[in-house]
Amino acid sequence: MDSLRDKIIPVTTILAALVVVWYGFAVLLNAPFQRDLDRRAGETPGFTEFLGKTLSQPKPTLPAPHQVAQNFFENTFMRKISSNRSLVYHGWVTLSSTLLGFAFGTALGILIAVGIVHVTALDRSLMPWIIVSQTIPIIALAPMVILLLGPFNTPAIVTKALISTYLSFFPVAVGMVKGLRSPEIMHLDLMHTYNASASQTFWKLRVPASVPFLFTSMKVAIAASLVGAIVAELPTGAVAGIGAKLLIGAYHSQSIDIWAALIAGSVVALILVGMVGFAGRQVEKSMGGRPA
């Protein structure tokens, strides 16, 4: 109980502070436009009335938290899932490409890590290029991928998944390399003493030792995969998805819709990271690991 309280109180305090700061900046940024509206209408509202107006504009520069919360609630729970305005619908479209890209990225990262650990030439030649690959801005890479895959009539979900793969394979590869190399020399010598083959050493020692590193890196990878899927929806001309929702909101200056879509993306990320963390704990528990 004390442990739960120690976790909830700091998070709640920081969240409350962020909401207060958010309201402050909403008033500050929306005030100039509201003054201009009042001047044109010949009105001189009092402080309280003026404050209320800055926090209730239909297209504010920075929407207030209650405006975003209301929009998020309406578009999540009050609309049909099949509706183009439903955040659940847009979230599912993005989630599908996120999960596919995450699966591709995890598989690719593990394969690269195994190769780097077992082949010295790959360690010296491939790892530097993997690191360099992450310096390329994803927003610049996405149109190139779309252009290259266009002549092959590649499904949109695969195109977005490949862009997600580009972001998600790196943390898995780095984490798995560290995990596969984590066994101590004493344990490796013991396997050698037992005349264990390279395959037996890999499956019975290196793989179990790498599991905590794998799931830790997968938390980063699945969040990166979501970012890749959202970014991929911007240049593909997608009409559905969180990225498409952000783009449409920007075209029509619907700042409240934009922020609600951002919150939806954050919720999806929290759920995905939580699911990976839960899966990691279950796997470690099944392997005889002790809870932290």
Side-chain angles (χ1 to χ4, degrees), residues 5-83:
R5 186 176 61 230
D6 291 341
K7 292 179 180 179
I8 293 178
I9 292 178
V11 173
T12 305
T13 302
I14 293 174
L15 182 61
L18 288 175
V19 170
V20 171
V21 173
W22 187 349
Y23 268 113
F25 273 100
V27 172
L28 183 65
L29 295 176
N30 298 334
F33 181 65
Q34 188 60 48
R35 290 194 191 96
D36 186 54
L37 289 178
D38 292 338
R39 181 178 56 81
R40 293 180 181 181
E43 299 177 353
T44 54
F47 176 77
T48 303
E49 184 182 357
F50 177 79
L51 197 65
K53 287 183 176 181
T54 59
L55 297 176
S56 59
Q57 295 176 0
K59 292 185 178 181
T61 303
L62 177 63
H66 68 272
Q67 291 179 297
V68 177
Q70 181 180 0
N71 183 289
F72 178 83
F73 179 81
E74 290 178 353
N75 290 327
T76 302
F77 301 103
M78 305 301 291
R79 300 191 186 279
K80 293 182 179 180
I81 296 178
S82 58
S83 171

Coordinates of all heavy atoms in Angstrom, one line a residue, residues 5-83:
R5 N 1.2 4.2 -2.9 CA 1.0 5.6 -2.5 C 2.2 6.4 -3.0 O 2.1 7.5 -3.5 CB 0.7 5.7 -1.0 CG 0.4 7.2 -0.6 CD 0.0 7.3 0.8 NE 1.1 6.9 1.7 CZ 1.1 6.0 2.7 NH1 -0.1 5.4 2.9 NH2 2.1 5.7 3.4
D6 N 3.4 5.8 -2.8 CA 4.6 6.5 -3.1 C 4.7 6.7 -4.6 O 5.4 7.7 -5.1 CB 5.9 5.7 -2.7 CG 6.0 5.7 -1.1 OD1 5.4 6.6 -0.5 OD2 6.7 4.8 -0.6
K7 N 4.1 5.9 -5.4 CA 4.1 6.0 -6.9 C 3.0 7.0 -7.3 O 3.2 7.8 -8.3 CB 3.9 4.7 -7.5 CG 5.0 3.7 -7.3 CD 4.7 2.4 -8.0 CE 5.9 1.4 -7.8 NZ 5.6 0.1 -8.5
I8 N 1.8 6.9 -6.7 CA 0.7 7.7 -7.2 C 0.8 9.2 -6.8 O 0.6 10.1 -7.6 CB -0.6 7.1 -6.6 CG1 -0.9 5.8 -7.2 CG2 -1.8 8.1 -6.9 CD1 -2.2 5.1 -6.6
I9 N 1.2 9.5 -5.6 CA 1.3 10.9 -5.1 C 2.3 11.7 -6.0 O 1.9 12.8 -6.4 CB 1.7 10.9 -3.6 CG1 0.5 10.4 -2.8 CG2 2.0 12.4 -3.2 CD1 0.8 10.3 -1.3
P10 N 3.5 11.3 -6.3 CA 4.4 12.1 -7.1 C 3.8 12.3 -8.5 O 3.9 13.5 -9.0 CB 5.7 11.3 -7.1 CG 5.7 10.4 -5.9 CD 4.2 10.1 -5.8
V11 N 3.3 11.3 -9.1 CA 2.7 11.4 -10.5 C 1.5 12.4 -10.5 O 1.4 13.2 -11.4 CB 2.3 10.0 -11.0 CG1 1.6 10.2 -12.3 CG2 3.5 9.1 -11.1
T12 N 0.6 12.2 -9.5 CA -0.5 13.1 -9.4 C -0.1 14.6 -9.2 O -0.7 15.5 -9.8 CB -1.5 12.7 -8.3 OG1 -1.8 11.3 -8.4 CG2 -2.7 13.5 -8.2
T13 N 0.9 14.8 -8.3 CA 1.4 16.1 -8.1 C 1.9 16.8 -9.3 O 1.6 17.9 -9.6 CB 2.4 16.1 -7.0 OG1 1.9 15.5 -5.8 CG2 2.9 17.5 -6.6
I14 N 2.7 16.0 -10.1 CA 3.3 16.6 -11.3 C 2.2 16.8 -12.3 O 2.3 17.9 -13.0 CB 4.4 15.6 -11.8 CG1 5.6 15.5 -10.9 CG2 4.8 16.0 -13.2 CD1 6.6 14.5 -11.3
L15 N 1.3 15.9 -12.4 CA 0.2 16.1 -13.4 C -0.6 17.3 -13.0 O -1.0 18.1 -13.9 CB -0.7 14.9 -13.4 CG -1.9 14.9 -14.4 CD1 -1.4 14.9 -15.8 CD2 -2.7 13.6 -14.2
A16 N -0.9 17.5 -11.8 CA -1.7 18.7 -11.4 C -0.9 20.0 -11.7 O -1.5 21.0 -12.1 CB -2.0 18.7 -9.9
A17 N 0.4 20.0 -11.4 CA 1.2 21.2 -11.7 C 1.2 21.5 -13.2 O 1.2 22.6 -13.6 CB 2.6 20.9 -11.2
L18 N 1.3 20.4 -14.0 CA 1.3 20.6 -15.5 C -0.1 21.2 -16.0 O -0.1 22.0 -16.8 CB 1.5 19.3 -16.2 CG 2.9 18.7 -16.1 CD1 3.0 17.3 -16.7 CD2 3.9 19.6 -16.8
V19 N -1.2 20.8 -15.3 CA -2.5 21.3 -15.7 C -2.6 22.8 -15.4 O -3.1 23.6 -16.2 CB -3.6 20.5 -15.0 CG1 -4.9 21.2 -15.2 CG2 -3.7 19.1 -15.6
V20 N -2.0 23.1 -14.2 CA -2.1 24.6 -13.8 C -1.2 25.4 -14.8 O -1.7 26.5 -15.2 CB -1.5 24.7 -12.3 CG1 -1.3 26.2 -12.0 CG2 -2.5 24.0 -11.4
V21 N 0.0 24.9 -15.1 CA 0.8 25.6 -16.0 C 0.2 25.7 -17.4 O 0.2 26.7 -18.1 CB 2.2 24.9 -16.1 CG1 3.0 25.5 -17.3 CG2 2.9 25.0 -14.8
W22 N -0.5 24.6 -17.8 CA -1.2 24.6 -19.1 C -2.3 25.7 -19.1 O -2.4 26.4 -20.1 CB -1.8 23.2 -19.3 CG -2.4 22.9 -20.6 CD1 -2.7 23.9 -21.6 CD2 -2.9 21.7 -21.1 NE1 -3.3 23.3 -22.7 CE2 -3.4 21.9 -22.4 CE3 -2.9 20.4 -20.6 CZ2 -3.9 20.9 -23.2 CZ3 -3.4 19.4 -21.4 CH2 -3.9 19.6 -22.7
Y23 N -3.1 25.8 -18.1 CA -4.1 26.8 -18.0 C -3.5 28.2 -18.1 O -4.0 29.1 -18.8 CB -4.9 26.7 -16.7 CG -6.1 25.8 -16.9 CD1 -6.2 24.6 -16.2 CD2 -7.2 26.2 -17.6 CE1 -7.4 23.8 -16.3 CE2 -8.4 25.4 -17.8 CZ -8.4 24.2 -17.1 OH -9.5 23.4 -17.2
G24 N -2.4 28.4 -17.4 CA -1.7 29.7 -17.5 C -1.3 30.1 -18.9 O -1.5 31.2 -19.3
F25 N -0.6 29.1 -19.6 CA -0.2 29.4 -20.9 C -1.4 29.6 -21.9 O -1.3 30.3 -22.8 CB 0.7 28.3 -21.4 CG 2.2 28.5 -21.0 CD1 2.7 27.9 -20.0 CD2 3.0 29.4 -21.8 CE1 4.1 28.0 -19.6 CE2 4.3 29.6 -21.4 CZ 4.8 28.9 -20.4
A26 N -2.5 28.9 -21.6 CA -3.7 29.0 -22.5 C -4.2 30.4 -22.4 O -4.5 31.0 -23.4 CB -4.7 28.0 -22.0
V27 N -4.3 31.0 -21.2 CA -4.7 32.4 -21.0 C -3.8 33.3 -21.7 O -4.2 34.2 -22.4 CB -4.9 32.7 -19.5 CG1 -5.2 34.2 -19.3 CG2 -6.0 31.8 -18.9
L28 N -2.5 33.1 -21.5 CA -1.4 34.0 -22.0 C -1.4 34.0 -23.5 O -1.4 35.1 -24.1 CB -0.1 33.6 -21.5 CG 1.1 34.4 -21.9 CD1 1.0 35.8 -21.2 CD2 2.4 33.8 -21.4
L29 N -1.6 32.9 -24.1 CA -1.5 32.8 -25.6 C -2.8 33.2 -26.3 O -2.8 33.6 -27.4 CB -1.1 31.4 -26.0 CG 0.3 30.9 -25.6 CD1 0.6 29.5 -26.0 CD2 1.4 31.9 -26.2
N30 N -3.9 32.9 -25.6 CA -5.2 33.2 -26.2 C -5.7 34.7 -26.0 O -6.6 35.2 -26.7 CB -6.3 32.3 -25.7 CG -6.0 30.8 -26.1 OD1 -5.3 30.6 -27.0 ND2 -6.5 29.9 -25.3
A31 N -5.0 35.3 -25.0 CA -5.5 36.7 -24.6 C -5.4 37.7 -25.8 O -6.3 38.5 -26.0 CB -4.7 37.2 -23.4
P32 N -4.3 37.8 -26.6 CA -4.2 38.8 -27.6 C -5.3 38.7 -28.6 O -5.9 39.7 -29.0 CB -2.8 38.5 -28.3 CG -2.0 37.8 -27.2 CD -3.0 37.0 -26.4
F33 N -5.7 37.5 -29.0 CA -6.7 37.3 -30.0 C -8.1 37.7 -29.4 O -8.9 38.3 -30.1 CB -6.8 35.9 -30.5 CG -7.9 35.6 -31.5 CD1 -7.8 36.2 -32.7 CD2 -8.9 34.7 -31.2 CE1 -8.8 36.0 -33.7 CE2 -9.9 34.5 -32.1 CZ -9.9 35.1 -33.4
Q34 N -8.3 37.4 -28.1 CA -9.5 37.7 -27.5 C -9.7 39.2 -27.3 O -10.8 39.8 -27.5 CB -9.6 37.1 -26.1 CG -11.0 37.2 -25.4 CD -12.1 36.6 -26.2 OE1 -12.0 35.5 -26.7 NE2 -13.2 37.3 -26.4
R35 N -8.5 39.9 -27.0 CA -8.6 41.4 -26.9 C -9.0 42.0 -28.2 O -9.7 43.0 -28.3 CB -7.2 41.9 -26.5 CG -6.8 41.6 -25.0 CD -5.6 42.5 -24.6 NE -5.1 42.0 -23.3 CZ -4.1 41.2 -23.2 NH1 -3.4 40.7 -24.3 NH2 -3.7 40.8 -22.0
D36 N -8.4 41.4 -29.3 CA -8.8 41.9 -30.7 C -10.3 41.7 -31.0 O -10.9 42.6 -31.5 CB -7.9 41.2 -31.7 CG -8.1 41.8 -33.1 OD1 -7.9 43.0 -33.3 OD2 -8.4 41.0 -34.0
L37 N -10.8 40.5 -30.6 CA -12.2 40.3 -30.8 C -13.1 41.3 -30.0 O -14.1 41.8 -30.5 CB -12.6 38.8 -30.4 CG -12.1 37.7 -31.2 CD1 -12.4 36.4 -30.6 CD2 -12.6 37.8 -32.7
D38 N -12.7 41.5 -28.7 CA -13.5 42.4 -27.9 C -13.4 43.9 -28.4 O -14.4 44.6 -28.4 CB -12.9 42.4 -26.4 CG -13.2 41.1 -25.8 OD1 -14.2 40.4 -26.2 OD2 -12.5 40.7 -24.8
R39 N -12.2 44.2 -29.0 CA -12.1 45.6 -29.5 C -13.0 45.8 -30.7 O -13.6 46.8 -30.9 CB -10.6 45.8 -29.9 CG -10.3 47.2 -30.4 CD -8.8 47.4 -30.7 NE -8.4 46.3 -31.6 CZ -8.5 46.4 -33.0 NH1 -9.2 47.4 -33.5 NH2 -8.0 45.4 -33.7
R40 N -13.0 44.7 -31.6 CA -13.9 44.9 -32.8 C -15.3 44.9 -32.4 O -16.1 45.5 -33.1 CB -13.6 43.7 -33.7 CG -12.2 43.7 -34.3 CD -12.0 42.5 -35.2 NE -10.7 42.4 -35.8 CZ -10.2 41.5 -36.7 NH1 -11.1 40.5 -37.0 NH2 -9.0 41.6 -37.1
A41 N -15.7 44.2 -31.4 CA -17.1 44.1 -30.9 C -17.5 45.3 -30.0 O -18.7 45.5 -29.7 CB -17.4 42.8 -30.2
G42 N -16.5 46.1 -29.7 CA -16.7 47.3 -28.8 C -17.1 46.9 -27.4 O -17.8 47.6 -26.7
E43 N -16.6 45.8 -26.9 CA -16.9 45.3 -25.6 C -15.7 45.5 -24.7 O -14.5 45.5 -25.1 CB -17.2 43.8 -25.6 CG -18.4 43.5 -26.5 CD -18.7 41.9 -26.5 OE1 -17.8 41.2 -26.0 OE2 -19.7 41.5 -27.1
T44 N -16.0 45.7 -23.4 CA -14.9 45.8 -22.4 C -15.3 44.9 -21.2 O -15.8 45.3 -20.2 CB -14.8 47.3 -21.9 OG1 -16.1 47.7 -21.4 CG2 -14.3 48.2 -22.9
P45 N -15.0 43.6 -21.4 CA -15.4 42.7 -20.3 C -14.5 42.8 -19.1 O -13.3 43.3 -19.2 CB -15.1 41.3 -21.0 CG -14.1 41.6 -22.0 CD -14.3 43.0 -22.5
G46 N -15.0 42.4 -17.9 CA -14.2 42.4 -16.7 C -13.2 41.3 -16.7 O -13.2 40.4 -17.7
F47 N -12.4 41.2 -15.7 CA -11.3 40.3 -15.6 C -11.8 38.8 -15.7 O -11.3 38.0 -16.5 CB -10.4 40.5 -14.4 CG -9.4 39.4 -14.2 CD1 -8.2 39.5 -15.0 CD2 -9.5 38.4 -13.3 CE1 -7.2 38.6 -14.8 CE2 -8.5 37.5 -13.2 CZ -7.3 37.5 -13.9
T48 N -12.8 38.5 -14.9 CA -13.3 37.2 -14.8 C -14.0 36.8 -16.1 O -13.8 35.6 -16.6 CB -14.4 37.0 -13.7 OG1 -13.8 37.4 -12.5 CG2 -14.9 35.6 -13.6
E49 N -14.7 37.7 -16.7 CA -15.4 37.4 -18.0 C -14.4 37.2 -19.1 O -14.5 36.3 -20.0 CB -16.4 38.5 -18.4 CG -17.1 38.2 -19.7 CD -18.0 39.4 -20.0 OE1 -18.1 40.4 -19.3 OE2 -18.7 39.3 -21.1
F50 N -13.3 38.1 -19.1 CA -12.3 38.0 -20.1 C -11.5 36.6 -20.0 O -11.2 36.0 -21.0 CB -11.3 39.1 -19.9 CG -10.1 39.1 -20.9 CD1 -10.3 39.5 -22.2 CD2 -8.9 38.7 -20.5 CE1 -9.2 39.5 -23.1 CE2 -7.8 38.6 -21.3 CZ -8.0 39.0 -22.6
L51 N -11.3 36.3 -18.7 CA -10.6 35.0 -18.5 C -11.4 33.8 -19.0 O -10.8 32.9 -19.6 CB -10.3 34.8 -16.9 CG -9.3 33.8 -16.5 CD1 -7.9 34.2 -17.0 CD2 -9.3 33.6 -15.0
G52 N -12.7 33.9 -18.8 CA -13.6 32.8 -19.3 C -13.6 32.7 -20.8 O -13.6 31.6 -21.4
K53 N -13.5 33.9 -21.4 CA -13.6 33.9 -22.9 C -12.3 33.3 -23.5 O -12.3 32.6 -24.5 CB -13.7 35.3 -23.4 CG -15.1 35.9 -23.2 CD -15.3 37.3 -23.8 CE -16.7 37.8 -23.7 NZ -16.8 39.2 -24.3
T54 N -11.1 33.6 -22.8 CA -9.9 33.1 -23.4 C -9.8 31.6 -23.2 O -9.1 30.9 -24.0 CB -8.7 33.7 -22.6 OG1 -8.8 33.4 -21.2 CG2 -8.6 35.2 -22.8
L55 N -10.6 31.0 -22.3 CA -10.5 29.6 -22.1 C -11.7 28.9 -22.8 O -11.9 27.7 -22.6 CB -10.6 29.3 -20.6 CG -9.4 29.8 -19.8 CD1 -9.6 29.5 -18.3 CD2 -8.1 29.1 -20.3
S56 N -12.4 29.6 -23.6 CA -13.6 28.9 -24.3 C -13.7 29.3 -25.8 O -14.7 29.2 -26.4 CB -14.9 29.3 -23.6 OG -15.1 30.8 -23.6
Q57 N -12.6 29.7 -26.3 CA -12.5 30.1 -27.8 C -12.7 28.8 -28.6 O -12.2 27.7 -28.3 CB -11.2 30.7 -28.1 CG -11.0 32.1 -27.5 CD -9.6 32.7 -27.8 OE1 -8.8 32.1 -28.5 NE2 -9.4 33.9 -27.3
P58 N -13.5 28.9 -29.7 CA -13.7 27.7 -30.6 C -12.4 27.2 -31.3 O -12.3 26.0 -31.5 CB -14.8 28.2 -31.6 CG -14.6 29.7 -31.6 CD -14.2 30.1 -30.2
K59 N -11.6 28.1 -31.7 CA -10.3 27.8 -32.3 C -9.1 28.5 -31.6 O -8.5 29.4 -32.2 CB -10.3 28.1 -33.8 CG -11.3 27.3 -34.6 CD -11.2 27.6 -36.1 CE -12.1 26.8 -36.9 NZ -12.0 27.1 -38.4
P60 N -8.8 28.1 -30.4 CA -7.8 28.8 -29.6 C -6.4 28.5 -30.1 O -6.2 27.5 -30.8 CB -8.0 28.3 -28.2 CG -8.5 26.9 -28.4 CD -9.4 27.0 -29.6
T61 N -5.5 29.4 -29.8 CA -4.1 29.2 -30.1 C -3.6 28.0 -29.3 O -2.9 27.1 -29.8 CB -3.2 30.4 -29.8 OG1 -3.7 31.5 -30.5 CG2 -1.8 30.2 -30.1
L62 N -3.9 28.0 -28.0 CA -3.7 26.8 -27.1 C -4.9 26.5 -26.4 O -5.4 27.2 -25.5 CB -2.5 27.2 -26.1 CG -2.2 26.1 -25.1 CD1 -1.7 24.8 -25.8 CD2 -1.2 26.6 -24.1
P63 N -5.6 25.4 -26.7 CA -6.8 25.0 -26.0 C -6.6 24.7 -24.5 O -5.5 24.2 -24.1 CB -7.3 23.7 -26.8 CG -6.0 23.2 -27.4 CD -5.2 24.3 -27.7
A64 N -7.6 25.0 -23.7 CA -7.5 24.7 -22.3 C -7.7 23.2 -22.1 O -8.3 22.5 -22.9 CB -8.6 25.5 -21.6
P65 N -7.2 22.7 -20.9 CA -7.3 21.3 -20.7 C -8.7 20.8 -20.7 O -8.9 19.7 -21.2 CB -6.7 21.2 -19.3 CG -5.7 22.3 -19.2 CD -6.3 23.4 -19.9
H66 N -9.7 21.5 -20.2 CA -11.1 21.1 -20.2 C -11.6 21.0 -21.6 O -12.5 20.1 -21.9 CB -11.9 21.9 -19.3 CG -12.2 23.3 -19.8 ND1 -11.3 24.4 -19.6 CD2 -13.1 23.8 -20.6 CE1 -11.8 25.5 -20.2 NE2 -12.9 25.2 -20.8
Q67 N -11.2 21.8 -22.5 CA -11.6 21.7 -23.9 C -11.1 20.5 -24.5 O -11.8 19.8 -25.3 CB -11.2 23.0 -24.7 CG -11.8 24.3 -24.3 CD -11.3 25.4 -25.1 OE1 -10.1 25.8 -25.0 NE2 -12.2 26.0 -25.9
V68 N -9.8 20.2 -24.3 CA -9.2 19.0 -24.9 C -9.9 17.7 -24.3 O -10.2 16.7 -25.0 CB -7.7 18.9 -24.6 CG1 -7.1 17.6 -25.1 CG2 -7.0 20.1 -25.3
A69 N -10.1 17.7 -23.0 CA -10.7 16.6 -22.3 C -12.1 16.3 -22.8 O -12.5 15.2 -23.0 CB -10.8 16.8 -20.8
Q70 N -12.9 17.4 -23.0 CA -14.3 17.3 -23.5 C -14.3 16.7 -25.0 O -15.0 15.8 -25.3 CB -15.0 18.6 -23.5 CG -16.4 18.6 -24.0 CD -17.1 19.9 -24.0 OE1 -16.5 20.9 -23.6 NE2 -18.4 20.0 -24.4
N71 N -13.4 17.2 -25.8 CA -13.3 16.8 -27.2 C -12.8 15.3 -27.2 O -13.4 14.5 -28.0 CB -12.2 17.6 -27.9 CG -12.1 17.2 -29.4 OD1 -11.6 16.2 -29.7 ND2 -12.6 18.1 -30.3
F72 N -11.9 14.9 -26.3 CA -11.4 13.6 -26.3 C -12.5 12.6 -25.8 O -12.7 11.5 -26.4 CB -10.2 13.5 -25.3 CG -9.7 12.1 -25.1 CD1 -8.8 11.6 -26.0 CD2 -10.0 11.3 -24.0 CE1 -8.3 10.3 -25.9 CE2 -9.6 10.0 -23.9 CZ -8.7 9.5 -24.8
F73 N -13.3 13.0 -24.8 CA -14.4 12.2 -24.3 C -15.4 12.0 -25.4 O -15.9 10.9 -25.6 CB -15.0 12.8 -23.1 CG -16.1 12.0 -22.5 CD1 -15.9 10.9 -21.7 CD2 -17.4 12.4 -22.8 CE1 -16.9 10.2 -21.2 CE2 -18.5 11.7 -22.3 CZ -18.2 10.6 -21.5
E74 N -15.8 13.1 -26.1 CA -16.9 13.0 -27.1 C -16.5 12.1 -28.2 O -17.3 11.3 -28.7 CB -17.2 14.4 -27.5 CG -18.0 15.3 -26.5 CD -18.3 16.7 -27.0 OE1 -17.8 17.0 -28.1 OE2 -19.0 17.4 -26.3
N75 N -15.2 12.3 -28.7 CA -14.8 11.6 -29.9 C -14.3 10.2 -29.6 O -14.0 9.4 -30.5 CB -13.7 12.4 -30.6 CG -14.2 13.6 -31.3 OD1 -15.3 13.7 -31.7 ND2 -13.4 14.7 -31.3
T76 N -14.2 9.8 -28.3 CA -13.8 8.5 -27.9 C -15.0 7.6 -27.5 O -15.1 6.5 -27.9 CB -12.8 8.5 -26.8 OG1 -11.7 9.3 -27.2 CG2 -12.3 7.1 -26.4
F77 N -15.9 8.2 -26.7 CA -17.0 7.4 -26.1 C -18.4 7.7 -26.7 O -19.3 6.9 -26.5 CB -17.0 7.7 -24.6 CG -15.7 7.3 -23.9 CD1 -14.8 8.2 -23.5 CD2 -15.4 5.9 -23.7 CE1 -13.7 7.9 -22.8 CE2 -14.2 5.6 -23.0 CZ -13.4 6.6 -22.6
M78 N -18.5 8.9 -27.3 CA -19.9 9.3 -27.7 C -20.1 9.2 -29.2 O -21.1 9.5 -29.7 CB -20.1 10.8 -27.4 CG -19.9 11.1 -25.9 SD -21.0 10.2 -24.8 CE -22.5 10.9 -25.2
R79 N -19.1 8.6 -29.9 CA -19.3 8.4 -31.4 C -19.1 6.9 -31.7 O -18.4 6.2 -31.0 CB -18.3 9.3 -32.1 CG -18.4 10.8 -31.9 CD -17.6 11.6 -32.9 NE -17.6 13.0 -32.5 CZ -18.6 13.8 -32.9 NH1 -19.6 13.4 -33.5 NH2 -18.5 15.1 -32.5
K80 N -19.7 6.5 -32.8 CA -19.6 5.2 -33.3 C -18.1 4.9 -33.7 O -17.4 5.8 -34.2 CB -20.5 4.9 -34.5 CG -22.0 4.9 -34.2 CD -22.8 4.6 -35.4 CE -24.3 4.6 -35.1 NZ -25.1 4.3 -36.3
I81 N -17.7 3.7 -33.4 CA -16.3 3.4 -33.7 C -16.0 3.5 -35.2 O -14.9 3.9 -35.6 CB -16.0 1.9 -33.2 CG1 -16.1 1.9 -31.7 CG2 -14.6 1.5 -33.7 CD1 -15.9 0.5 -31.2
S82 N -17.0 3.3 -36.1 CA -16.8 3.4 -37.5 C -16.8 4.9 -38.0 O -16.6 5.1 -39.2 CB -17.9 2.6 -38.2 OG -19.2 3.1 -37.9
S83 N -17.1 5.8 -37.1 CA -17.2 7.2 -37.6 C -15.8 7.8 -37.9 O -14.8 7.4 -37.2 CB -17.9 8.0 -36.5 OG -17.8 9.4 -36.7

